[in-house]
Amino acid sequence: MRDPNCIFCKIVEDKVPSVKVYEDEHAVAFLDIAPLANGHTLVIPRNHAHKIEDLSETDNRGVWELVRIVVPRLTEAMAAEGMTVAVNNGEAAGQEVHHVHVHLIPRRRDDGYGPIHSLFKGRRPEVTIPELEAIVHRIRAI
Ligand code: 5GP
Ligand code: ZN
């Protein structure tokens, strides 16, 4: 299913230009138009879905399978030393395009960007086990 107003649905259908890396029955990988690093790739489901929780099981498996296929190839092609694999899931998390996409960003040890952890300033090493258990209780109650 496509959303006629969605730029990534248009990319799936080749209605707007893109540079595709790899595609199969369920998902498409293409280069980001404003790369954060050389080779920055996006992996998307063919079917429109806003967020991870909106994906069908088949499309979810398809996206992550294409991630698994593309990561080693992209790593080798870009002579990368690692890969940041990330999803901005929802606007509050920074999602700008409302068609779920996995960012694959080739990394080098000396690129100076650090881990995703560096986005967050409030790490709490003093968190207690009861606090963690209270969170799990809330999750499992749903
Ligand atoms: P988000 O912030 O939603 O996680 O990331 C959206 C990504 O899509 C950005 O990195 C942006 O550069 C990329 N992007 C947005 N529009 C287009 C487009 O039309 N073509 C391609 N190839 N990438 C796009
Ligand atoms: Zn879409």
Side-chain angles (χ1 to χ4, degrees):
M1 245 142 25
R2 312 275 181 263
D3 176 336
N5 299 314
C6 171
I7 185 74
F8 285 180
C9 284
K10 289 177 185 164
I11 285 176
V12 168
E13 295 192 308
D14 289 323
K15 287 183 175 162
V16 302
S18 69
V19 181
K20 291 185 178 169
V21 174
Y22 212 96
E23 58 187 318
D24 63 18
E25 187 187 348
H26 299 297
V28 179
F30 57 98
L31 295 180
D32 195 293
I33 202 152
L36 295 170
N38 282 339
H40 182 174
T41 295
L42 303 173
V43 180
I44 65 171
R46 284 189 177 282
N47 286 321
H48 183 82
H50 178 179
K51 295 190 280 186
I52 285 176
E53 54 267 46
D54 303 318
L55 285 166
S56 69
E57 186 176 344
T58 301
D59 288 341
N60 181 56
R61 287 181 192 277
V63 166
W64 290 102
E65 175 60 5
L66 197 55
V67 168
R68 191 187 68 84
I69 289 168
V70 171
V71 162
R73 289 163 173 78
L74 187 58
T75 301
E76 189 173 336
M78 304 314 297
E81 296 171 313
M83 188 80 59
T84 292
V85 179
V87 178
N88 294 324
N89 200 51
E91 297 88 280
Q95 184 177 8
E96 292 183 353
V97 177
H98 291 184
H99 183 131
V100 63
H101 47 283
V102 181
H103 292 265
L104 307 181
I105 306 169
R107 299 293 307 274
R108 299 189 68 82
R109 280 190 187 83
D110 64 358
D111 64 18
Y113 296 121
I116 289 176
H117 306 54
S118 58
L119 286 171
F120 301 89
K121 309 300 175 206
R123 192 190 275 276
R124 293 182 55 219
E126 77 287 4
V127 72
T128 64
I129 296 294
E131 278 181 271
L132 298 180
E133 286 173 344
I135 291 168
V136 169
H137 184 73
R138 289 171 65 172
I139 295 167
R140 290 187 181 162
I142 291 167

